[in-house]
Amino acid sequence: MSFHLSAWSIKKPVPTIVLFLILGIFGLVSFFRLGIDSNPNIDIPAVMVTVTQPGAGPTELETQVTKKIEDSVAGLGNIDELTSTVTEGSSTTTVSFVLGTDSDRATNDVRNAVAQIRQDLPQDVNEPIVKRLEFAGGSIMTYAVASETRSVEQLSDLVDRTISRALLNVPGVAQIDRLGGVDREIRVDLDPSRLQAYGITATQVNDQIRNLNIDLPGGRGNVGGSEQNIRTLGSAETVAELRSYRIVLPNGATVPLSSLGEVEDSFAEQRQAASLNGESVVAFSVRRSTGSTLVTVEEGVREAVTELEKTLPDDVTLALIFTRADAIRDSYQATIDALVLACILTVIAVGLFLRDWRVTLITATALPLSIIPTFGVMKLLGYTLNGMTLLALALAVGNLVDDAICMIENIDQHLDMGKKPFNAALDASREIGLAVVATTATIVAVFIPVAFMGGVPGQFFQPFGVTVAVSTMFSTLVACTMTPMLSAYWLKSKRNREQETSKKRIHPYRNLLTWALRHRITTLLIALAFFIGSLQLVPLIPKGLFDSGDTGLSTVMVELPPGSTLSETEEIMQQLNQSLQENLAVDKVFTTADNINSGTVYANLLPKDEREVSQQEFEQEMRQVFRTIPGARISFQSQGAGGGGKDLSIVLKSENAPVLTQTAETLEKQMRDIPGLVEVTSSTSLVKPEIVIQPDPERAADLGVSVGAIARTASLALIGDNESNLAKFDLADRQIPIRVQLNPDTRADISTLKNLQVPSQTGNLVPISAVADIRLGSGPAQIDRFDRNRQVSVEANLEGISLGDALETVKALPAMNPLPPDVAEEPAGDAKIMQDIFTRFATALGAAILSIYAILVLLYSNFLYPFGILVALPLSIGGALLGLLVTQKELGLFALIGIVLLMGLVTKNAILLVDFALAGIKEGKPQFKAVVEAGVSRLRPILMTSVSTIAGMMPIALELGADGEVRSPMAIAVIGGFTTSTLLTLVVVPVLFTYVDNLYRWMRGLFGGKKKQVQL
């Protein structure tokens, strides 16, 4: 088909030109509409079930709530994993579904499953909240809100009601989180001594306020001949009016609410804080929705903030603290630069070989005509301009000119024979057409199984593979239409003298090939030894997922012992802020205490060209400083694909909690002794101090006091009622809660708790100490569960050791060999993805080789000749591994993708050799002569394609631009593998071909004469 298409394009050039004009315009328009992101979208469909019960301990919640929720959803289909986190007052279960599951249907299924067991949950828990995880990853950007005249409460309200509402309208914004600040509420702080004197409890006061301070509908009336709505308005209009509310005492008398304690318009107990460079601020962060592109969302938020600032009061300013989009834009620009530079280097390499500006220009047109239409297909498929798709184009640059090189080099040889350019183009395109189609088919065949391997790895491989395959198909279209058409009309006729110089130039190769064909066993043994030797390099190469790169933003996780106060957490944060700001690489530091005993610090580094250290070196320096700060666990957050807090995560699960805890503590201790593992922590280590109220059944029964009454009295008096049950105070534009509780100053004395009055069934009040024993105790601060088992995570960051090596070392520790019978290990984080990648990759690569074989069989109608081509594949592995070993790059995701690309590229050279050898034999030449002439005639195009491919990958291999260190393993693997395979292919493939051809001839003779062929 290809040569007919070429002849048509040569004879009718106008339709060809129009076709590529249309494709070019379509591609350019699509390019400017493509979103920019760091990686392909690997958002996993997940549904979160949250159940809250203020004041409840993790142990009780696990038994009464979490296990029941897990059991109810466990039977749903397509569940990948089930994780739960139980903390004080909150149980959160996340149901992660396999990729491709309809998230709306999954959410409804989970909601229905939870609704069916609602009656089995404790009655006083808040209604379970079932929602789809809308946001992808962490915050993408953070702003600080500042004003010289407004209070923290006013700024908090501005963020909650004005800024959040405006920004949630931006497409792709899923959630706005306020950091720091306070929540406004009316506080009724009761005095315990006055309550005791008046004989009333905090619960009774709370119930009366709820019943009094409320507006309710009262039906309809028909007074005066018209219909009226009836409303009952009991809400206090001012705080002063609320203070004067009359509270009915048990003896029937009434007293104003102000007689029982203080009533004031204030704010809730502060449980979070934020600061910028040590100064307290109110800030907000933006999370993007699943499926959206980060840079597009970030640009939309910036525009919305600019518009918002025009409407905000003049004294309010919004300052951008950090954005993750800058690193992505830098990486995008670096990849575009690498793509352009690769094109230039490729054209230069071709020009040096061809030494004819017309031929070089015709070859160079293949690049834009292949790349630009690919953007159109990417838009149709919903891809973005991310690291994988752009890298695919940058790495494929050398490959994209291969077909054009093969075509024009063959035309050049026909011109050397003295033909006119028009005839040379016609004859050459007919001669090489099948080889060009075959080489493209192998590239596509490699990526068909790899692109659809599924799972998280498939989300990375698919856009890369499809982009390479599509651009390669366009390059073949160019080579079969534009290249011969332009050659027919642009090139000039030649004299025959070039043949002599050509023969002289390739004379050493002819001698080498002749020697190899006369010493075939020796040649094949050398090749076999090289392949076996290359496999021995695998244990010496570091293995991992991928380098996290230099994003310019380091995230520090801080955790204080359970029971710590917010002021203690803020003090540690200030020390961290001071230490970080003393480092010359730091631009600004934003700290947020997002919980009362934990927080996050964002260190925004100076641009790479303005600092002397890389992000990795900066983090190594700061780890030494962090060790001098006592009283907290401080560690850098991993930037890996697993989304965990640390680089390495070992997850152990069991239903036997004591054995699980003991195993985890032993493993943690042994992991601390492994060089290269830093910031080793275990999720079992911390317990939270508790005050335990132990009711005495006999005394409680005698006095008619129930356990429920004791718990409700203590809970309401100390932290107030459930959020949904709180009375509301009406403002002009909203409602704020009225929280009734004991004065916080009295909670520091345990005697306050002991003297709390509990109502008995007879109506009398008795102190808690009369019906229960109160003692100090401790319990787990947090319980983690995985697939309905208790789980403990032992985590560590890596410093100077690869993920694969660290995992191998940990698994060899005595604590892991063997694990106790009822304890199991569960792959997690980056290690799980790495294991998944290597497993799926091996299967996909096997399928890719079978696909190549199938296509070659179809092209040659022969089952044997493809083996002569496939021998090139193992010869490329050695060079790829050698390149990674020399440069000490990890054998990870990017290197594996490079090896996949390599499979397709090296097959192309072998096809050219075999195709021309078969053509020579078909013409009646002896096998030896046909093979030698095929090698000699194809030497120049093979060397040209190899050099152009290597030249195109040099910018990426040299780590030029932002994130260069992340992408380089891919290019290094291809360059190393392509170099060795090209050198060996030129010798080994012809030798093996002679064996295959001899076998084919023997079998043909065996099964019925010369004309019978082994066909499909």
Side-chain angles (χ1 to χ4, degrees):
M1 186 192 95
S2 172
F3 52 86
H4 293 305
L5 183 63
S6 301
W8 175 81
S9 65
I10 292 168
K11 292 171 184 174
K12 296 182 180 294
V14 174
T16 305
I17 294 169
V18 171
L19 171 67
F20 279 98
L21 274 174
I22 293 170
L23 287 173
I25 292 168
F26 173 56
L28 283 172
V29 171
S30 300
F31 174 76
F32 291 108
R33 291 184 177 180
L34 286 169
I36 300 171
D37 215 333
S38 53
N39 289 310
N41 190 345
I42 54 168
D43 301 331
I44 295 170
V47 179
M48 189 162 67
V49 183
T50 305
V51 182
T52 56
Q53 185 181 9
T59 307
E60 290 74 39
L61 272 177
E62 180 191 32
T63 306
Q64 298 172 15
V65 176
T66 311
K67 287 183 177 181
K68 293 177 181 178
I69 296 285
E70 289 177 346
D71 292 341
S72 71
V73 301
L76 301 177
N78 292 338
I79 291 181
D80 182 30
E81 59 184 38
L82 194 61
T83 57
S84 295
T85 302
V86 192
T87 57
E88 181 194 345
S90 174
S91 164
T92 303
T93 300
T94 304
V95 189
S96 299
F97 292 87
V98 296
L99 283 166
T101 304
D102 184 336
S103 55
D104 289 326
R105 181 176 175 180
T107 306
N108 288 331
D109 289 346
V110 172
R111 186 175 287 116
N112 292 340
V114 172
Q116 289 173 5
I117 56 102
R118 174 62 183 93
Q119 68 272 17
D120 298 333
L121 303 179
Q123 293 304 306
D124 56 344
V125 301
N126 292 322
E127 280 301 308
I129 299 171
V130 180
K131 64 177 182 179
R132 183 175 60 191
L133 275 183
E134 294 285 0
F135 56 85
S139 61
I140 63 170
M141 60 197 307
T142 299
Y143 279 89
V145 185
S147 171
E148 293 182 358
T149 58
R150 293 174 188 268
S151 66
V152 172
E153 189 274 332
Q154 288 174 313
L155 289 177
S156 302
D157 180 54
L158 188 69
V159 170
D160 291 341
R161 297 197 305 121
T162 305
I163 296 174
S164 293
R165 289 176 184 176
L167 296 185
L168 283 170
N169 292 326
V170 176
V173 173
Q175 189 172 312
I176 304 294
D177 296 325
R178 194 190 75 216
L179 308 172
V182 292
D183 296 309
R184 184 180 174 187
E185 66 182 24
I186 306 298
R187 297 188 57 149
V188 180
D189 292 337
L190 302 175
D191 186 328
S193 58
R194 293 187 188 180
L195 291 178
Q196 196 167 357
Y198 284 116
I200 192 169
T201 67
T203 307
Q204 292 168 334
V205 174
N206 180 67
D207 291 343
Q208 288 193 41
I209 292 175
R210 281 183 56 202
N211 292 332
L212 280 170
N213 193 79
I214 191 169
D215 295 341
L216 294 170
R220 286 193 301 268
N222 291 292
V223 179
S226 62
E227 183 176 281
Q228 301 91 18
N229 286 332
I230 299 173
R231 292 190 297 151
T232 306
L233 304 179
S235 296
E237 293 186 3
T238 64
V239 175
E241 189 178 331
L242 183 63
R243 287 194 188 102
S244 62
Y245 263 172
R246 306 297 294 185
I247 300 297
V248 181
L249 302 176
N251 60 10
T254 63
V255 294
L257 179 58
S258 56
S259 298
L260 301 176
E262 297 177 3
V263 181
E264 56 182 8
D265 185 349
S266 182
F267 47 81
E269 181 183 357
Q270 196 168 352
R271 308 281 293 181
Q272 59 170 348
S275 70
L276 177 62
N277 294 334
E279 298 293 326
S280 182
V281 294
V282 177
F284 65 88
S285 62
V286 181
R287 292 176 185 260
R288 69 177 180 90
S289 59
T290 54
S292 60
T293 55
L294 193 148
V295 173
T296 307
V297 175
E298 191 258 8
E299 289 171 350
V301 171
R302 280 181 185 256
E303 290 173 12
V305 166
T306 304
E307 291 299 313
L308 191 61
E309 284 178 323
K310 297 175 185 176
T311 62
L312 291 175
D314 294 337
D315 59 299
V316 176
T317 58
L318 302 181
L320 180 64
I321 299 172
F322 71 81
T323 170
R324 297 188 187 277
D326 284 345
I328 296 172
R329 274 189 285 262
D330 290 345
S331 179
Y332 162 77
Q333 191 58 51
T335 315
I336 291 288
D337 293 344
L339 179 58
V340 172
L341 188 55
C343 292
I344 294 169
L345 289 174
T346 301
V347 172
I348 291 171
V350 172
L352 290 174
F353 269 96
L354 298 175
R355 292 183 293 180
D356 183 329
W357 71 269
R358 291 174 185 271
V359 176
T360 305
L361 188 60
I362 291 171
T363 309
T365 57
L367 288 171
L369 294 180
S370 305
I371 293 171
I372 293 172
T374 305
F375 293 128
V377 178
M378 287 167 57
K379 180 66 178 173
L380 291 175
L381 294 174
Y383 293 162
T384 58
L385 292 171
N386 56 63
M388 301 310 298
T389 51
L390 286 174
L391 198 53
L393 291 174
L395 285 176
V397 161
N399 170 50
L400 297 182
V401 293
D402 282 2
D403 292 338
I405 286 173
C406 292
M407 182 66 73
I408 205 156
E409 200 278 338
N410 210 39
I411 293 171
D412 196 47
Q413 287 195 10
H414 280 260
L415 286 173
D416 288 344
M417 298 174 191
K419 294 180 182 179
K420 298 275 187 180
F422 192 90
N423 294 330
L426 279 172
D427 295 343
S429 59
R430 279 196 188 96
E431 185 179 69
I432 202 169
L434 180 63
V436 169
V437 171
T439 56
T440 301
T442 56
I443 289 282
V444 176
V446 164
F447 284 108
I448 286 172
V450 171
F452 298 98
M453 64 166 62
V456 173
Q459 298 295 298
F460 277 92
F461 279 97
Q462 187 181 21
F464 181 90
V466 171
T467 304
V468 170
V470 168
S471 60
T472 303
M473 285 190 277
F474 277 123
S475 77
T476 304
L477 184 63
V478 173
C480 293
T481 54
M482 286 296 285
T483 302
M485 185 267 287
L486 292 174
S487 301
Y489 295 103
W490 275 10
L491 296 185
K492 303 292 184 185
S493 300
K494 288 188 177 184
R495 297 177 183 176
N496 291 335
R497 63 185 183 186
E498 290 194 18
Q499 286 180 314
E500 297 302 318
T501 56
S502 175
K503 285 179 182 176
K504 288 178 185 176
R505 183 169 67 245
I506 57 181
H507 192 66
Y509 170 63
R510 182 189 287 271
N511 291 341
L512 176 63
L513 184 56
T514 303
W515 182 91
L517 289 169
R518 287 174 180 160
H519 302 82
R520 295 186 301 174
I521 300 293
T522 307
T523 304
L524 291 179
L525 285 174
I526 291 170
L528 185 64
F530 175 77
F531 174 64
I532 294 171
S534 65
L535 295 181
Q536 308 309 309
L537 299 177
V538 174
L540 305 176
I541 300 170
K543 296 165 201 68
L545 188 57
F546 53 72
D547 193 315
S548 55
D550 189 330
T551 61
L553 180 68
S554 287
T555 307
V556 184
M557 311 302 293
V558 183
E559 186 181 6
L560 275 71
S564 301
T565 62
L566 182 63
S567 60
E568 290 172 333
T569 305
E570 285 185 282
E571 188 179 334
I572 293 289
M573 293 291 204
Q574 286 295 342
Q575 292 182 49
L576 276 172
N577 168 70
Q578 189 174 348
S579 300
L580 287 164
Q581 285 199 299
E582 287 172 358
N583 193 300
L584 298 177
V586 175
D587 181 21
K588 49 192 168 189
V589 179
F590 176 67
T591 67
T592 169
D594 39 31
N595 207 330
I596 201 161
N597 69 316
S598 64
T600 310
V601 180
Y602 298 94
N604 209 6
L605 307 184
L606 293 167
K608 281 176 78 171
D609 52 357
E610 294 180 26
R611 50 185 157 95
E612 296 178 359
V613 294
S614 67
Q615 184 175 345
Q616 195 173 14
E617 290 167 342
F618 160 75
E619 291 180 0
Q620 287 181 9
E621 282 180 25
M622 293 312 301
R623 280 194 181 104
Q624 307 304 319
V625 179
F626 292 165
R627 290 191 180 113
T628 64
I629 300 176
R633 285 179 174 176
I634 304 171
S635 57
F636 282 99
Q637 185 178 29
S638 167
Q639 298 180 49
K646 304 271 182 78
D647 296 327
L648 174 66
S649 182
I650 304 294
V651 172
L652 304 177
K653 63 178 186 177
S654 173
E655 273 299 295
N656 189 334
V659 174
L660 180 65
T661 303
Q662 184 181 353
T663 306
E665 288 173 352
T666 306
L667 178 61
E668 178 188 4
K669 186 178 179 182
Q670 292 176 5
M671 282 174 62
R672 290 182 186 277
D673 297 329
I674 297 176
L677 293 190
V678 294
E679 298 164 350
V680 181
T681 57
S682 164
S683 58
T684 65
S685 308
L686 303 175
V687 293
K688 185 175 180 121
E690 295 177 338
I691 296 175
V692 179
I693 300 176
Q694 187 80 50
D696 186 308
E698 292 183 5
R699 283 187 285 163
D702 289 343
L703 295 171
V705 175
S706 68
V707 174
I710 296 172
R712 176 163 168 73
T713 299
S715 173
L716 194 142
L718 299 175
I719 61 172
D721 210 341
N722 288 353
E723 294 293 330
S724 58
N725 292 335
L726 291 175
K728 301 295 188 290
F729 184 81
D730 292 333
L731 298 176
D733 54 352
R734 61 186 170 126
Q735 289 185 319
I736 58 174
I738 302 173
R739 186 174 299 277
V740 179
Q741 61 182 8
L742 294 185
N743 192 315
D745 295 338
T746 64
R747 282 188 278 169
D749 189 353
I750 198 169
S751 63
T752 302
L753 179 59
K754 290 180 178 179
N755 293 326
L756 279 178
Q757 303 290 304
V758 185
S760 67
Q761 291 175 354
T762 61
N764 296 324
L765 299 179
V766 295
I768 284 182
S769 57
V771 292
D773 296 323
I774 299 175
R775 59 182 171 81
L776 295 176
S778 63
Q782 177 173 311
I783 295 173
D784 297 315
R785 293 175 60 80
F786 185 92
D787 286 348
R788 297 194 286 170
N789 285 282
R790 279 272 185 109
Q791 115 176 3
V792 174
S793 300
V794 185
E795 298 180 325
N797 277 324
L798 308 179
E799 190 173 279
I801 186 173
S802 70
L803 178 61
D805 292 343
L807 199 59
E808 193 177 323
T809 308
V810 169
K811 290 197 172 182
L813 291 173
M816 300 286 286
N817 291 290
L819 286 169
D822 46 359
V823 176
E825 186 205 351
E826 187 69 35
D830 284 2
K832 179 183 179 182
I833 296 175
M834 186 180 79
Q835 181 181 331
D836 195 19
I837 283 174
F838 279 96
T839 304
R840 290 176 184 268
F841 174 79
T843 308
L845 199 56
I849 292 169
L850 284 175
S851 300
I852 293 174
Y853 176 73
I855 282 179
L856 293 176
V857 167
L858 289 170
L859 287 168
Y860 292 115
S861 297
N862 191 297
F863 286 95
L864 293 177
Y865 287 135
F867 287 108
I869 293 168
L870 292 176
V871 71
L873 298 181
L875 299 179
S876 65
I877 298 292
L881 297 177
L882 195 61
L884 293 171
L885 179 65
V886 170
T887 55
Q888 277 300 291
K889 293 293 180 183
E890 290 185 352
L891 179 60
L893 176 70
F894 285 92
L896 291 178
I897 294 177
I899 290 172
V900 172
L901 179 60
L902 196 56
M903 296 294 105
L905 295 179
V906 299
T907 312
K908 296 179 75 167
N909 289 343
I911 287 173
L912 291 177
L913 285 171
V914 171
D915 202 57
F916 270 73
L918 285 171
I921 291 171
K922 191 176 179 181
E923 290 170 7
K925 295 177 184 176
Q927 184 194 72
F928 187 91
K929 184 178 181 183
V931 170
V932 171
E933 286 188 1
V936 170
S937 66
R938 293 298 91 201
L939 174 64
R940 188 165 72 143
I942 286 175
L943 287 180
M944 283 170 63
T945 56
S946 300
V947 171
S948 64
T949 301
I950 291 169
M953 294 186 186
M954 286 308 291
I956 299 168
L958 294 173
E959 303 183 1
L960 301 178
D963 268 359
E965 62 274 18
V966 179
R967 301 185 293 265
S968 64
M970 190 184 292
I972 287 167
V974 175
I975 289 172
F978 212 43
T979 304
T980 57
S981 71
T982 300
L983 298 175
L984 290 169
T985 298
L986 286 167
V987 177
V988 177
V989 169
V991 169
L992 193 73
F993 172 77
T994 60
Y995 281 109
V996 172
D997 188 50
N998 290 341
L999 177 62
Y1000 169 66
R1001 291 185 185 195
W1002 176 77
M1003 290 180 70
R1004 189 176 62 179
L1006 191 66
F1007 290 109
K1010 290 187 177 182
K1011 291 187 179 179
K1012 188 167 178 97
Q1013 293 187 4
V1014 183
Q1015 292 186 331
L1016 185 67

